[in-house]
Amino acid sequence: MLGQMMHRPLRIADILTFASEIHGKEGIVSSTVEGGLHRTSYRELEQRSGQLARALARLGVTNGDRVATLAWNGYRHFELYYAVSGMGAVVHTINPRLSAEQMTYIVEHAGDKVLALDLTFVPLIEKLAPHFPADMIYVIMTDSAHMPETSLPGALCYEELLTAESPGFDWPEFDENTAAGLCYTSGTTGHPKGTLYSHRSTVLHAYSCALSLYSAMRPGNRILPVVPMFHVNAWGMPYAAPMAGATMVMPGPRLDGAALWDLMDGEEVFSAWGVPTVWLGLLDEIAKRGAKPRALGEVVIGGSAAPPAMIEAFEKMDASVCHAWGMTEMSPIGTTGLLHASEGDLALPERVAVKSKQGRRVFGVDLKIVDENGARQPHDGKASGELYVRGNVITSGYFRNDAATADAMDNEGWFGTGDVASIDEKGFLQITDRAKDLIKSGGEWISSIDVENMAIAHPGIANAAVIAVPHPKWDERPVLIAVAAGDTPPSNEDVNAHLAQHLAKWQLPDDIIWVDSLPLTATGKVSKLTLRKTYGAHALSEQSAE
Ligand code: ADP
């Protein structure tokens, strides 16, 4: 027997019309590319998104067309999110930190018809435009006063397009499985791969995000995505915040510690979300100024493992850390680390230990860990294996890439994350490594994340990464690549003595290479690929790890 309830398609545009009606005074504060702060409300954003949708329709954008964006976090990028998906087209967010070759590849692969770009990226796109389709429509996201002289063919001014249209829009109805967004992962090997989100997956993910990050997602809260809108929809915040009635404070292009500190303090941001590298910058700034931004009560850390030393630093200043894990292919949130009220007040060391794990799965995401034969492993906190996921916000296959899809899905229809993990009895996930980053020494696995976390806790080390280096006897051995906190790096003996407090002798790095900074990927994570290319042939003696 079927239930007898209405079936209304889940549509992204309904989030914004709801926010406009119910949370109309909340909205977005943006640090703009042109300079200065801009303030707007969800009411105004809904009206302007309608104007934009009309303008895009006039340019010939229709159902299923891809409209690419190359932009920082700001209100115009938000309007593009809603106008493009709301009219039935697809927002393809491009990561500006991709290489020229990758960017040309994805513009071609996605079949983009329009490219909307911030002023910052005009020089970059002028160079790439000859490799883009000749009929590409370029929209520069600024007003007429700031329109640059440009060689981009037929470049249009965003604000002029809007001025020509009347506000609001009668958002069309379509199947909730209609494609809404497209995001390519940076691709550690081979070409980037596209995840094609639907209206249904995006709205369900917004519910999930609001539910699993409930401390941030409250009416009137002021929250800041450092995580970019060009990467996995800023972890879903631009959909969950208007749904929940929170105001977003958008950092624009200014992501250094000092700029973030000023914006957070000035705008009384309660919760801020980003990858660990960003928080290293903010913690530095907090140390310099001797105070945290005044309203900061929560820091959501994801994208790569949050080192315990970082968690401790924030917790000590009463900024509660929520460690989250996810992937582009998962919209992205898979697990979040808010502690339940019933879990009581843990003392700092226990709290840091629990929060160093990647949190518990959110409703709607199923997790399984399997051994190399695909056999399920128990959730006992000890067994580890490759992590697979299943759910309505998880990709069912890469956009126009059957080979990558076949590689990623198992025969039960689960998606393979490529992460190696354990899950404990309480449901906490612990990521040990990316499968390809694990170090296999003499038949035993060494977790690069464990060694990195320990290294970063050394007062003389500002940042660190561990890679495997080939070894004639042990197959692979770990090498630590580190950035010193002061002018003189600590000695190798000193670092190893520190690591030896928690690691077995055979897990200690064979060598330490000191560098001024670590290379980052397009999404701001430490690039192990670059480190492997640079230091993979680092010579080790046969005696090491005896
Ligand atoms: P990209 O590599 O393009 O940045 P994603 O952002 O989708 O793509 O990266 C997802 C991967 O990032 C995960 O599979 C995992 O390896 C890593 N990751 C994300 N969050 C965490 C976390 N909290 N701890 C450890 N690894 C993480």
Side-chain angles (χ1 to χ4, degrees):
M1 193 173 12
L2 295 178
Q4 285 183 292
M5 304 304 283
M6 289 186 192
H7 180 87
R8 301 284 306 143
L10 300 174
R11 289 189 313 173
I12 292 171
D14 291 323
I15 297 177
L16 192 52
T17 45
F18 170 80
S20 160
E21 185 188 329
I22 304 301
H23 302 294
K25 291 209 173 71
E26 302 299 327
I28 300 183
V29 180
S30 312
S31 173
T32 65
V33 176
E34 293 90 348
L37 289 181
H38 174 276
R39 294 172 197 279
T40 183
S41 65
Y42 287 130
R43 190 156 297 145
E44 203 179 338
L45 285 160
E46 202 257 337
Q47 295 292 301
R48 280 174 49 93
S49 299
Q51 278 170 281
L52 177 58
R54 287 176 202 280
L56 290 170
R58 204 178 291 278
L59 291 173
V61 173
T62 177
N63 289 355
D65 281 346
R66 270 77 66 203
V67 173
T69 64
L70 194 63
W72 302 109
N73 291 2
Y75 66 101
R76 292 190 184 113
H77 204 175
F78 177 94
E79 289 162 359
L80 278 152
Y81 266 40
Y82 281 90
V84 174
S85 62
M87 67 191 293
V90 179
V91 200
H92 169 207
T93 52
I94 302 182
N95 187 330
R97 300 187 190 119
L98 292 178
S99 67
E101 189 196 335
Q102 288 176 319
M103 214 180 274
T104 313
Y105 169 83
I106 64 170
V107 166
E108 156 92 42
H109 188 264
D112 294 327
K113 182 167 187 168
V114 177
L115 173 57
L117 64 157
D118 265 338
L119 279 173
T120 320
F121 305 117
V122 171
L124 171 73
I125 296 305
E126 282 175 341
K127 284 201 204 92
L128 296 184
H131 307 289
F132 290 170
D135 53 357
M136 179 77 88
I137 302 170
Y138 296 96
V139 177
I140 301 184
M141 294 163 64
T142 193
D143 53 22
S144 32
H146 292 90
M147 254 322 255
E149 286 279 322
T150 173
S151 63
L152 286 178
L156 301 166
C157 169
Y158 185 96
E159 291 298 333
E160 285 173 16
L161 285 176
L162 262 68
T163 312
E165 306 294 338
S166 50
F169 199 67
D170 192 9
W171 301 106
E173 285 218 355
F174 36 69
D175 188 314
E176 63 181 11
N177 292 307
T178 301
L182 178 62
C183 181
Y184 286 74
T185 56
S186 24
T188 38
T189 51
H191 284 307
K193 297 177 292 227
T195 301
L196 189 62
Y197 310 106
S198 66
H199 280 259
R200 175 182 158 82
S201 72
T202 306
V203 174
L204 290 177
H205 186 267
Y207 279 116
S208 162
C209 179
L211 196 62
S212 57
L213 291 160
Y214 52 85
S215 40
M217 292 298 166
R218 287 184 188 161
N221 259 6
R222 298 170 78 78
I223 59 185
L224 183 145
V226 188
V227 47
M229 291 174 73
F230 56 69
H231 185 57
V232 231
N233 308 320
W235 296 349
M237 193 196 275
Y239 301 113
M243 193 185 245
T247 278
M248 281 182 286
V249 179
M250 303 282 211
R254 283 166 282 275
L255 303 175
D256 59 287
L260 286 176
W261 196 100
D262 286 337
L263 185 63
M264 285 183 193
D265 190 64
E267 293 302 318
E268 301 192 28
V269 168
F270 165 71
S271 178
W273 304 9
V275 295
T277 24
V278 163
W279 302 131
L280 284 176
L282 184 73
L283 282 171
D284 243 14
E285 194 60 28
I286 291 174
K288 269 189 217 143
R289 302 204 195 195
K292 68 170 180 175
R294 62 189 137 149
L296 186 64
E298 179 181 82
V299 182
V300 178
I301 310 181
S304 50
M310 176 177 287
I311 299 175
E312 183 176 334
F314 279 121
E315 293 278 329
K316 273 186 173 161
M317 57 181 86
D318 283 330
S320 178
V321 168
C322 172
H323 191 181
W325 164 87
M327 296 184 81
T328 304
E329 293 88 336
M330 302 174 65
S331 300
I333 300 176
T335 62
T336 56
L338 293 181
L339 298 184
H340 304 164
S342 62
E343 285 163 332
D345 284 333
L346 294 177
L348 185 66
E350 286 84 59
R351 210 159 68 233
V352 171
V354 178
K355 292 190 172 191
S356 298
K357 296 193 172 187
Q358 274 74 6
R360 288 175 275 223
R361 73 184 179 98
V362 300
F363 175 75
V365 173
D366 300 334
L367 306 177
K368 71 172 178 182
I369 43 173
V370 301
D371 67 11
E372 54 275 19
N373 304 316
R376 284 202 193 206
Q377 300 298 298
H379 292 188
D380 60 5
K382 293 184 206 96
S384 82
E386 191 178 341
L387 179 61
Y388 280 77
V389 290
R390 186 178 65 179
N392 287 312
V393 300
I394 292 160
T395 186
S396 61
Y398 291 106
F399 182 54
R400 295 179 171 164
N401 193 337
D402 294 341
T405 301
D407 270 358
M409 312 300 296
D410 76 3
N411 48 19
E412 294 176 351
W414 294 62
F415 173 80
T417 64
D419 287 330
V420 179
S422 64
I423 299 171
D424 69 19
E425 291 90 346
K426 289 187 177 154
F428 281 92
L429 175 78
Q430 183 159 24
I431 304 279
T432 332
D433 234 323
R434 295 290 296 166
K436 60 185 173 308
D437 291 343
L438 273 172
I439 300 148
K440 193 156 202 185
S441 169
E444 299 282 349
W445 294 106
I446 300 174
S447 150
S448 64
I449 293 183
D450 276 357
V451 185
E452 286 157 8
N453 281 345
M454 284 300 306
I456 293 167
H458 188 292
I461 296 183
N463 204 357
V466 172
I467 58 163
V469 167
H471 188 277
K473 178 166 175 190
W474 302 105
D475 228 0
E476 287 180 346
R477 289 293 303 150
V479 164
L480 179 69
I481 299 159
V483 180
D487 292 338
T488 325
S491 69
N492 289 11
E493 293 69 36
D494 181 42
V495 173
N496 275 336
H498 165 84
L499 296 177
Q501 294 172 50
H502 296 275
L503 298 173
K505 189 154 178 281
W506 60 272
Q507 295 171 321
L508 299 180
D510 277 18
D511 206 355
I512 305 178
I513 301 172
W514 296 97
V515 292
D516 291 338
S517 64
L518 293 174
L520 299 182
T521 67
T523 52
K525 308 177 193 187
V526 172
S527 172
K528 295 259 174 107
L529 186 71
T530 313
L531 289 174
R532 276 195 288 265
K533 271 191 196 146
T534 317
Y535 302 106
H538 189 72
L540 294 172
S541 79
E542 289 200 25
Q543 270 67 47
S544 53
E546 288 292 358

